[in-house]
């Protein structure tokens, strides 16, 4: 019942938005390149379903594989940095420096490294973009631990790895999931923009640039819609995993929500 | 037999550096079995440092700290003491029962024994109906009671408490003091308790140690014999007399 309540307001807002969009366009009837009506976009999506679906699978694979690799690398780096002081002193400043590079701007360069039509360069962009928020936030979560919880574990003569497992990792979970939600939308953006410059030509990115170049704006928007769907599905998946992984955390929400 | 035996212990933080701090100077202290000791003194007098020396969370710069007739380090490894802090330090990701079971898990108790022990401890702190709750669903006082239950779960012969009631409101605090005294009597544990509050120190202890700051030393050693405590104790002239005695001792160290 509560879950339904949570959904009904944004769904209603969405319906109103699309209604106004459709209505305004049918009243003023501007050129198609300004903004196609929702009905035209849905029409283009249905007409080109096979192509768009295929493109979404290609792009979706780049996003998910890059996301998974970026998460794994980010977590490993965070654990290393927390465990070893020298690793911390080498990796962290380096990571901060690299993070200042606009990574997406490297897409054409990565194409030279990995080959113009290889999805590898797109994946590499996604990995690099996902890595930093995961690494930095997880490190924060692993290190910003209640001092008394560490002292308590030391008073029990707990080993270092035990302290990591019992205290640091659970403490880092909310930090990690906050970063992960940020990373999923970043990953979709990164994949599509990287695809503008190279990679497989049947992915969503080239579909958008080519359709727009041929003034088929409804088709370009249909591809954008597919990209949105990838982002939404991933975000929702993260929310579900978060709830499963941190049942105690939803309790906090439950408590605050109650009047 | 002394539960705690400290001889000539000093503690200097960051020795040889510009931010060197002489936290404790030449502490001698013997605590007998079953005593309830409070450490009181102005902030920065090293009372928490002294508690951490006993707990072997830090080691003395010179001198020796013995707990149960062995080096404090060994006592820690043998899990001879339980500890509670100002923040309850409960793990949000564990239920109340699981929090109490944590030290038992680390000591390799079987699941059945842990469950049984945790429910006994919950009865002791009167929180049985909250066994399956998570800490963030409990009030501050209830969380502190869980922390005490956790500290006592493996029946340590020594309980070390660092301002455990400092963050509680006055009513909850007095209630918790009575609970602690009841548990102390029931379990026969030796307690070392750090506090800022003079009435709390007098109400709880068999002995109040007043510490002076920079570097920390034990300035006076005040025995308290008020018999069994109750609500009436707080209005007892003998209680006020002791409070005044401790207050005067504190005033002297601050001058």
């Amino acid at each position: 019942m509560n879950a339904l309540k949570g959904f009904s307001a944004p769904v209603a807002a969405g319906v109103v938005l699309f209604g106004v969009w459709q209505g305004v366009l049918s009243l003023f009837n501007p050129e198609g390149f300004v903004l196609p009506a929702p009905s035209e976009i849905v029409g283009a999506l249905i007409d080109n379903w096979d192509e768009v679906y295929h493109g979404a699978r290609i792009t979706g694979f780049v996003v998910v594989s890059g996301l998974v690799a970026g998460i794994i690398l980010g977590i490993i780096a965070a654990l290393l940095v927390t465990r070893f002081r020298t690793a911390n002193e080498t990796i962290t400043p380096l990571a901060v420096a690299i993070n200042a590079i606009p990574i997406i701007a490297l897409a054409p360069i990565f194409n030279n490294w990995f080959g113009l039509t290889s999805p590898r360069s797109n994946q590499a962009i996604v990995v690099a973009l996902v890595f930093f928020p995961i690494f930095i936030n997880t490190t924060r979560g692993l290190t910003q631990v209640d001092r008394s919880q560490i002292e308590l574990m030391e008073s029990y003569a707990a080993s270092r790895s035990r302290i990591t497992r019992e205290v640091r990792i659970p403490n880092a979970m909310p930090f990690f999931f906050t970063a992960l939600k940020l990373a999923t939308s970043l990953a979709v953006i990164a994949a599509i923009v990287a695809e503008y410059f190279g990679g497989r030509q049947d992915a969503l990115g080239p579909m958008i640039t080519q359709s727009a170049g041929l003034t088929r704006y409804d088709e370009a928007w249909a591809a954008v819609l597919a990209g949105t769907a990838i982002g939404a599905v991933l975000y929702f998946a993260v929310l579900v995993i978060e709830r499963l992984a941190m049942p105690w955390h939803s309790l906090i929400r439950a408590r605050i929500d109650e009047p | 037999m002394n539960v705690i035996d400290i001889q000539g212990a000093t503690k200097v933080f960051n020795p040889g550096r510009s931010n060197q701090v002489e936290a404790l100077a030449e502490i001698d202290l013997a605590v007998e079995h079953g005593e309830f000791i409070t450490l009181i003194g102005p902030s920065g007098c090293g009372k928490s440092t002294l508690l951490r020396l006993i707990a072997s969370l830090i080691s003395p710069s010179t001198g020796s700290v013995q707990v149960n007739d062995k080096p404090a380090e060994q006592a820690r490894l043998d899990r001879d003491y339980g500890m509670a802090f100002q923040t309850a330090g409960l793990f949000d990701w564990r239920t109340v029962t699981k929090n109490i079971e944590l030290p038992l898990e680390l000591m390799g108790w079987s699941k059945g024994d842990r469950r049984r022990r945790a429910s006994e401890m919950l009865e002791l702190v009167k929180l049985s109906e909250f066994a399956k709750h998570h800490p963030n669903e409990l009030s501050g006082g209830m969380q502190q009671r869980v922390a005490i239950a956790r500290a006592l779960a493996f029946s340590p012969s020594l309980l070390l408490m660092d301002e455990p009631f400092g963050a509680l409101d006055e009513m909850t605090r007095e209630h918790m003091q009575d609970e602690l005294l009841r548990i102390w009597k029931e379990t026969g544990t030796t307690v070392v308790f750090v506090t800022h509050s003079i009435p709390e120190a007098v109400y709880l202890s068999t002995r109040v140690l007043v510490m002076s700051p920079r570097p920390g030393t034990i300035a006076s050693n005040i025995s308290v014999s008020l018999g069994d405590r109750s609500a009436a104790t707080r209005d007892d002239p003998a209680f006020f007399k002791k409070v005044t005695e401790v207050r005067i001792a504190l005033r002297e160290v601050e001058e």
Side-chain angles (χ1 to χ4, degrees), chain A residues 14-44:
Chain A
V15 168
V16 169
L17 175 73
F18 284 111
V20 170
W21 178 354
Q22 183 84 34
V24 166
L25 288 180
S26 57
L27 272 178
F28 298 102
N29 200 23
E31 298 285 345
F33 67 85
V34 178
L35 192 61
S39 57
E40 291 173 80
I41 296 170
V42 172

Side-chain angles (χ1 to χ4, degrees), chain A residues 149 151 154 156 166 255, chain B residues 52 76 79 94 136:
Chain A
Q149 291 183 343
E151 286 194 323
E154 284 171 353
Y156 298 143
E166 299 283 353
R255 235 177 131 208
Chain B
R52 278 165 177 72
R76 178 171 68 87
R79 286 130 173 165
R94 286 173 166 256
N136 51 36

Side-chain angles (χ1 to χ4, degrees), chain B residues 80-141:
Chain B
D80 279 1
Y81 67 84
M83 196 153 187
F85 301 89
Q86 179 167 12
T87 54
L90 299 176
F91 297 163
D92 286 343
W93 41 93
R94 286 173 166 256
T95 61
V96 165
T97 300
K98 285 270 184 188
N99 265 286
I100 298 172
E101 284 183 21
L102 174 70
L104 309 179
E105 273 175 39
L106 287 158
M107 296 167 84
W109 287 36
S110 76
K111 198 174 172 172
D113 288 346
R114 292 198 314 250
R115 273 290 127 86
R116 219 165 303 125
R117 194 55 206 248
S119 77
E120 281 170 27
M121 295 318 297
L122 278 172
E123 243 165 75
L124 186 71
V125 296
K126 297 180 176 150
L127 284 174
S128 296
E129 66 265 47
F130 298 100
K132 292 206 171 72
H133 284 63
H134 281 265
N136 51 36
E137 296 174 286
L138 306 183
S139 71

Side-chain angles (χ1 to χ4, degrees), chain B residues 38 40 170 174 177 195-205 207-208 210 220 222-226 229 232-252 254:
Chain B
T38 50
I40 193 167
E170 197 58 30
E174 290 190 357
Q177 290 165 359
T195 183
H196 269 124
S197 158
I198 301 170
E200 179 167 85
V202 172
Y203 189 74
L204 290 175
S205 343
R207 196 143 63 99
V208 179
V210 178
S220 39
I222 300 169
S223 288
V224 185
S225 40
L226 293 170
R229 312 306 205 255
T233 311
R234 297 186 198 274
D235 301 321
D236 188 342
F239 174 73
F240 288 119
K241 227 180 118 206
K242 276 292 165 196
V243 168
T244 308
E245 193 180 336
V246 174
R247 183 169 290 130
I248 289 168
L250 267 170
R251 211 170 282 155
E252 276 167 9
E254 282 186 279

Side-chain angles (χ1 to χ4, degrees), chain B:
Chain B
M1 180 191 116
N2 288 334
V3 176
I4 300 170
D5 215 323
I6 302 177
Q7 283 173 4
T10 64
K11 181 66 191 176
V12 180
F13 288 110
N14 310 316
R17 286 199 262 164
S18 59
N19 55 348
Q20 172 172 327
V21 179
E22 200 182 341
L24 291 176
E26 292 283 324
I27 300 282
D28 293 304
L29 175 66
V31 177
E32 281 172 38
H33 182 76
E35 279 195 277
F36 197 126
I37 303 283
T38 50
L39 302 175
I40 193 167
S43 333
C45 71
K47 49 194 191 298
S48 287
T49 305
L50 181 53
L51 196 76
R52 278 165 177 72
L53 275 187
I54 298 167
S56 169
L57 294 173
I58 53 176
S59 47
S61 302
T62 60
S64 78
V65 180
Q66 301 258 322
V67 174
N68 287 341
D69 287 330
K70 52 196 163 189
E73 165 84 20
Q74 191 56 47
R76 178 171 68 87
L77 296 176
D78 292 347
R79 286 130 173 165
D80 279 1
Y81 67 84
M83 196 153 187
F85 301 89
Q86 179 167 12
T87 54
L90 299 176
F91 297 163
D92 286 343
W93 41 93
R94 286 173 166 256
T95 61
V96 165
T97 300
K98 285 270 184 188
N99 265 286
I100 298 172
E101 284 183 21
L102 174 70
L104 309 179
E105 273 175 39
L106 287 158
M107 296 167 84
W109 287 36
S110 76
K111 198 174 172 172
D113 288 346
R114 292 198 314 250
R115 273 290 127 86
R116 219 165 303 125
R117 194 55 206 248
S119 77
E120 281 170 27
M121 295 318 297
L122 278 172
E123 243 165 75
L124 186 71
V125 296
K126 297 180 176 150
L127 284 174
S128 296
E129 66 265 47
F130 298 100
K132 292 206 171 72
H133 284 63
H134 281 265
N136 51 36
E137 296 174 286
L138 306 183
S139 71
M142 287 154 93
Q143 290 186 17
Q144 232 8 297
R145 265 144 75 193
V146 176
I148 291 168
R150 179 178 59 185
L152 289 167
F154 53 98
S155 313
S157 57
L158 176 62
L159 187 57
L160 303 176
M161 308 182 88
D162 191 4
E163 293 186 49
F165 308 148
L168 304 180
D169 63 81
E170 197 58 30
M171 292 307 292
T172 315
R173 195 172 179 151
E174 290 190 357
H175 176 65
M176 291 296 297
Q177 290 165 359
D178 288 324
E179 291 281 295
L180 178 61
L181 285 176
R182 180 177 61 79
I183 292 165
W184 171 63
K185 243 172 262 160
E186 278 176 31
T187 57
T189 313
T190 309
V191 182
V192 180
F193 189 102
V194 168
T195 183
H196 269 124
S197 158
I198 301 170
E200 179 167 85
V202 172
Y203 189 74
L204 290 175
S205 343
T206 56
R207 196 143 63 99
V208 179
L209 301 179
V210 178
M211 293 187 66
S212 71
R214 283 173 295 273
T217 48
I218 296 172
S220 39
N221 188 333
I222 300 169
S223 288
V224 185
S225 40
L226 293 170
D228 278 351
R229 312 306 205 255
S230 67
T233 311
R234 297 186 198 274
D235 301 321
D236 188 342
F239 174 73
F240 288 119
K241 227 180 118 206
K242 276 292 165 196
V243 168
T244 308
E245 193 180 336
V246 174
R247 183 169 290 130
I248 289 168
L250 267 170
R251 211 170 282 155
E252 276 167 9
V253 303
E254 282 186 279
E255 271 159 13

